[in-house]
Amino acid sequence: MSDDMLRAPAEVKYADELDYLESVDDNPKPFSWRLSPKMIRLFVLGSERADGLDREIPQKWFGDRSFVERSIVTLASDRGLLLIGDPGTGKSWLAELLAAAICRNSTLVVQGTAGTTEDHIKYSWNVSMVIAKGQSRQSMIPSPIMTAMERGVIGRFEELTRSTSDVQDALISILSEKYVSIPELEDDNIVFAQPGFSIIATANSRDRGVNDLSSALKRRFNFVRIPVVTNKNSEAEIVRFRTEELLRRHRIELDLPPTLLDILLQSFADLRSASASATSDDERLESALSTAEQIGVLEDAILHSHFFGDRVLRAQTLAGSLVGSLARRSPEDLAILNKYWHGVVEPRGKKDGGPWQEFLEGGRDAIATLS
């Protein structure tokens, strides 16, 4: 079934694993959860030999164990969970995995934007049915959050701070009172949340000041801050994991040379260091330089090599993808990348030669083309 989708949700993609874990799970479960907290943690972080399972469960989210455990405990309480962090830290992926493991449905999602309205988190109406038969529960269109309430499952709210204060305030009654009133109806005019309902929201820490959360709404969430991955080994695992998924999805047979992965990781580490020491925004790349952006750079290079190259990933192609992905402002970003190439990559290329020399040449050509 997952082969028929461009991107299958976690509960479909890992259905076999979830079925297996459910069949061997004899631990206590809150509410109507499909898996126990211990098995959910194992599903997200992968199994170890000490777990005594008949099959290996691979790790799907790479981060501190305590973040996952606190997230699960929060969802077992009556509070919402807010995952907050920089772009590309895996907040949405963790939210999807948790929802998939708890209720086998991660698709009840509201995307927060400036255009999100209260209807998106409560309900709206089927206009043609209202004209024909009047307002009723049959002519009402429940939001993903209301659907989650009725089913007693997890609802998700992506980019909470991108939505306006009116929309955020509408969540307060849902999280505190656990029901939604429908004043347009005389009968059957309250939807009560069933046991097991909760909300996982995500927020971008770089959006601070866009639409800050009220203190009332903050009190109804437990905050779990997801830091940027700085450990090189952990970041390499994440990039490798996502790249292998890409290759499988596109049915591409292409090796990822370890030396090129090292070059990619080192380049992002260098650029992050330069950004941290910069004294003004003009001296910083607009890119967040996240792990997700590294994956995007590598994906671009792999697809370019597959479709337009000789189906071998080369340093020149990787350099061109990196420059093309990170040079968003002209001339500011191009000037920063040009400085990095001359001040850091060029000495490495002369000293180490090989892939670094090829990376140097590929980056120079890409910068010259965009300048």
Side-chain angles (χ1 to χ4, degrees):
M1 182 178 177
S2 61
D3 291 339
D4 298 331
M5 305 177 190
L6 180 61
R7 184 192 177 280
E11 61 271 19
V12 174
K13 185 175 184 177
Y14 301 112
D16 184 52
E17 282 184 28
L18 290 167
D19 288 341
Y20 168 74
L21 291 174
E22 196 169 341
S23 70
V24 299
D25 190 3
D26 56 2
N27 297 300
K29 306 178 184 69
F31 312 116
S32 57
W33 285 19
R34 300 288 294 270
L35 291 177
S36 66
K38 285 186 177 180
M39 284 298 185
I40 295 170
R41 182 186 64 187
L42 190 149
F43 171 69
V44 174
L45 296 177
S47 61
E48 299 174 355
R49 185 173 298 178
D51 295 315
L53 298 180
D54 296 333
R55 58 177 287 182
E56 180 184 2
I57 304 298
Q59 186 172 4
K60 302 169 189 65
W61 187 81
F62 296 82
D64 194 284
R65 184 190 193 98
S66 64
F67 300 147
V68 176
E69 291 179 350
R70 186 160 189 266
S71 298
I72 296 170
V73 169
T74 295
L75 294 171
S77 71
D78 62 350
R79 297 172 68 82
L81 170 64
L82 179 61
L83 301 173
I84 186 168
D86 281 358
T89 49
K91 303 181 297 295
S92 297
W93 179 233
L94 177 57
E96 181 177 339
L97 290 171
L98 291 171
I102 289 171
C103 58
R104 300 292 285 265
N105 188 347
S106 65
T107 61
L108 297 173
V109 185
V110 173
Q111 182 67 48
T113 67
T116 304
T117 66
E118 193 173 330
D119 292 351
H120 291 116
I121 62 171
K122 288 187 173 179
Y123 58 88
S124 57
W125 298 97
N126 183 319
V127 177
S128 60
M129 289 185 66
V130 170
I131 292 173
K133 299 181 180 180
Q135 290 177 320
S136 65
R137 288 298 293 271
Q138 288 69 40
S139 60
M140 189 179 74
I141 304 173
S143 72
I145 299 297
M146 181 180 280
T147 300
M149 294 175 68
E150 292 180 301
R151 297 179 185 176
V153 296
I154 302 296
R156 295 170 52 202
F157 199 122
E158 289 290 310
E159 305 292 356
L160 180 58
T161 49
R162 285 285 177 182
S163 57
T164 62
S165 56
D166 291 344
V167 174
Q168 293 179 19
D169 289 345
L171 278 179
I172 294 176
S173 62
I174 292 175
L175 288 168
S176 58
E177 305 300 333
K178 301 294 192 293
Y179 68 80
V180 171
S181 176
I182 311 169
E184 295 91 338
L185 302 181
E186 293 184 4
D187 301 316
D188 194 18
N189 60 357
I190 297 180
V191 173
F192 291 96
Q194 298 301 303
F197 165 71
S198 192
I199 292 176
I200 305 176
T202 64
N204 185 343
S205 55
R206 294 198 174 202
D207 287 341
R208 186 174 298 169
V210 176
N211 291 297
D212 288 335
L213 302 182
S214 67
S215 57
L217 186 56
K218 286 179 180 178
R219 288 197 302 271
R220 287 158 176 82
F221 278 111
N222 270 353
F223 283 56
V224 175
R225 296 190 176 274
I226 309 297
V228 173
V229 178
T230 55
N231 182 281
K232 203 169 182 179
N233 291 333
S234 298
E235 194 163 45
E237 284 296 322
I238 297 171
V239 174
R240 192 177 292 110
F241 173 75
R242 288 298 196 179
T243 303
E244 288 172 355
E245 283 192 331
L246 165 75
L247 294 173
R248 284 195 298 270
R249 186 166 72 241
H250 288 281
R251 296 183 175 88
I252 294 174
E253 293 184 7
L254 187 148
D255 290 331
L256 174 58
T259 52
L260 294 190
L261 181 57
D262 288 341
I263 287 175
L264 178 65
L265 294 169
Q266 187 60 56
S267 297
F268 266 72
D270 293 337
L271 291 167
R272 285 172 186 157
S273 178
S275 179
S277 61
T279 57
S280 69
D281 288 341
D282 286 345
E283 296 174 352
R284 297 185 183 94
L285 288 171
E286 188 177 66
S287 165
L289 298 171
S290 66
T291 305
E293 286 180 298
Q294 286 191 61
I295 296 167
V297 169
L298 193 54
E299 177 180 3
D300 181 86
I302 287 173
L303 292 176
H304 194 280
S305 300
H306 180 72
F307 292 116
F308 298 109
D310 53 5
R311 301 191 178 184
V312 175
L313 182 60
R314 302 190 185 280
Q316 295 98 322
T317 307
L318 183 64
S321 295
L322 189 147
V323 171
S325 298
L326 300 186
R328 298 173 183 176
R329 300 174 303 172
S330 182
E332 294 90 347
D333 286 349
L334 282 173
I336 294 168
L337 288 169
N338 190 51
K339 181 180 178 181
Y340 170 66
W341 240 261
H342 282 288
V344 179
V345 179
E346 185 172 344
R348 284 206 187 112
K350 291 178 179 177
K351 177 184 176 183
D352 300 334
W356 273 108
Q357 181 63 33
E358 297 170 6
F359 188 72
L360 169 65
E361 294 169 1
R364 278 177 174 170
D365 292 342
I367 292 170
T369 300
L370 293 174
S371 298

